Amino acid sequence: MTRVCANNSPRRRLARLKSYDYALNGAYYVTIVTKNRLCLFGDVTNDAVQLNDAGKMIAAQWRTLPTKFPNTQLDEFIVMPNHIHGIIIFVGASLVGAHSNASNSGDKNDIPTKKLGDVIGAYKSLTTVAFVQGVKTLKWPPFSEKLWQRNYYEHIIRNDKDLLSIQQYITDNPARWNEDPDNLQKIT
């Protein structure tokens, strides 16, 4: 049986900065949530995430991103029962906040730079295909319509203090699961 971990009230907002180039070199904090906030990836017990096979697949697909997008590196990451948090770092383009033509220099050795949305879109697609296969062959819990919400949350990491704070937030996320408003099984 699939558990719903949250109310289904709409909370949509556009998080992207209108004039920002999301292919720029830098670190980005990302949160992606399952459609209808269904808990499909495991549970949290004693402040630790216990991933099921679907959750392990979600984590494994994240780790493959640098092989698919050579200009990416991964930092802190966690799979929660109904969402993921991760830090993606783009390398090989201009610095965050600077608008350089370094990625358009024409050098044959340049790495084609993808935008953050391209990477997240590919990740959602890869995990959805793998999850559907798991539903069909491994009896994973089914979902309706889409695995992931249409949008995702992102934050441009601007400095080391910001990076350290977000890394700590990700690390501490399971310990805060009982306080999460999207967790209907929370202890009150």
Side-chain angles (χ1 to χ4, degrees):
M1 180 167 140
T2 304
R3 296 178 295 121
V4 176
C5 292
N7 60 32
N8 293 325
S9 61
R11 290 187 262 174
R12 180 177 219 149
R13 71 175 181 86
L14 295 176
R16 270 25 98 221
L17 294 174
K18 290 182 190 276
S19 62
Y20 188 80
D21 180 357
Y22 282 90
L24 290 175
N25 187 35
Y28 300 89
Y29 167 58
V30 176
T31 299
I32 310 171
V33 181
T34 59
K35 177 100 173 160
N36 298 322
R37 291 174 169 70
L38 296 177
C39 290
L40 300 170
F41 308 140
D43 291 302
V44 176
T45 307
N46 298 323
D47 296 339
V49 180
Q50 306 300 318
L51 295 178
N52 58 22
D53 288 340
K56 291 174 186 173
M57 176 277 296
I58 294 295
Q61 288 291 344
W62 182 265
R63 290 188 298 270
T64 69
L65 289 175
T67 63
K68 294 167 179 35
F69 299 95
N71 65 315
T72 62
Q73 295 176 355
L74 303 177
D75 196 276
E76 199 67 41
F77 171 75
I78 193 162
V79 178
M80 294 296 290
N82 65 354
H83 64 280
I84 65 119
H85 293 294
I87 297 172
I88 298 175
I89 302 168
F90 284 179
V91 295
S94 58
L95 295 174
V96 168
H99 295 281
S100 164
N101 290 327
S103 61
N104 298 322
S105 65
D107 186 336
K108 292 180 183 177
N109 294 323
D110 280 352
I111 299 170
T113 303
K114 297 289 186 180
K115 294 183 183 262
L116 182 62
D118 298 327
V119 176
I120 300 305
Y123 176 73
K124 286 177 156 185
S125 179
L126 292 165
T127 53
T128 299
V129 167
F131 198 99
V132 167
Q133 189 63 31
V135 169
K136 291 178 181 177
T137 62
L138 302 170
K139 299 183 181 178
W140 290 356
F143 59 91
S144 134
E145 299 173 30
K146 297 189 181 274
L147 178 61
W148 300 106
Q149 288 184 3
R150 182 172 164 219
N151 213 344
Y152 62 93
Y153 171 81
E154 60 75 22
H155 170 79
I156 303 162
I157 300 173
R158 292 179 170 85
N159 55 48
D160 288 340
K161 181 179 176 187
D162 197 17
L163 176 62
L164 291 171
S165 174
I166 292 167
Q167 288 169 329
Q168 192 65 53
Y169 177 84
I170 293 171
T171 301
D172 294 344
N173 208 249
R176 290 189 312 276
W177 180 241
N178 285 330
E179 302 161 14
D180 193 317
D182 292 335
N183 175 10
L184 290 183
Q185 286 80 34
K186 64 185 168 215
I187 300 168
T188 55

